[in-house]
C-alpha cells in the first residue's frame, strides 16, 4: 500500500461512526438483494403459542413488523 493511500485510510478511520447515522457512507458502499427473506424465515419457525424476544438488535421495530 502506498503512503498516500495509507494516509487517506488513517484520515477516514478517524471519522468514526456513532449511533444510527450512516450518512457518511452515502455513495461509498454497495449492496445486493439477499437470497432469503427474514420475515418468511421467522414465520416458518413461529408457532401460535410462542413468544419472541428481540435482543440487541435495536428497538425491535423489525420484529414488530413481522407480527
Amino acid at each position: 500500500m502506498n503512503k498516500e493511500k495509507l494516509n487517506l485510510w488513517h484520515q477516514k478511520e478517524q471519522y468514526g461512526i456513532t449511533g444510527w447515522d450512516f450518512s457518511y457512507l452515502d455513495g461509498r458502499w454497495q449492496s445486493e438483494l439477499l437470497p432469503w427473506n427474514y420475515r418468511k424465515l421467522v414465520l416458518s419457525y413461529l408457532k401460535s403459542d410462542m413468544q419472541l424476544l428481540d435482543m440487541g438488535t435495536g428497538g425491535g421495530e423489525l420484529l414488530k413488523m413481522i407480527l
Side-chain angles (χ1 to χ4, degrees):
M1 181 177 293
N2 67 35
K3 190 172 184 174
E4 181 182 330
K5 287 183 180 181
L6 186 59
N7 286 336
L8 182 59
W9 175 68
H10 283 294
Q11 289 172 5
K12 301 298 181 187
E13 185 181 30
Q14 297 304 313
Y15 178 80
I17 295 175
T18 58
W20 289 100
D21 180 11
F22 299 108
S23 59
Y24 175 72
L25 299 175
D26 287 348
R28 297 173 176 258
W29 62 280
Q30 297 177 348
S31 72
E32 58 188 53
L33 292 176
L34 297 173
W36 45 269
N37 180 297
Y38 182 72
R39 183 178 190 275
K40 288 180 181 179
L41 186 63
V42 170
L43 289 175
S44 72
Y45 289 97
L46 188 62
K47 297 178 183 163
S48 61
D49 62 341
M50 290 180 152
Q51 296 181 1
L52 301 178
L53 175 62
D54 186 352
M55 296 178 60
T57 63
E61 297 86 0
L62 182 59
L63 196 57
K64 288 177 189 174
M65 287 190 305
I66 290 174
L67 302 175

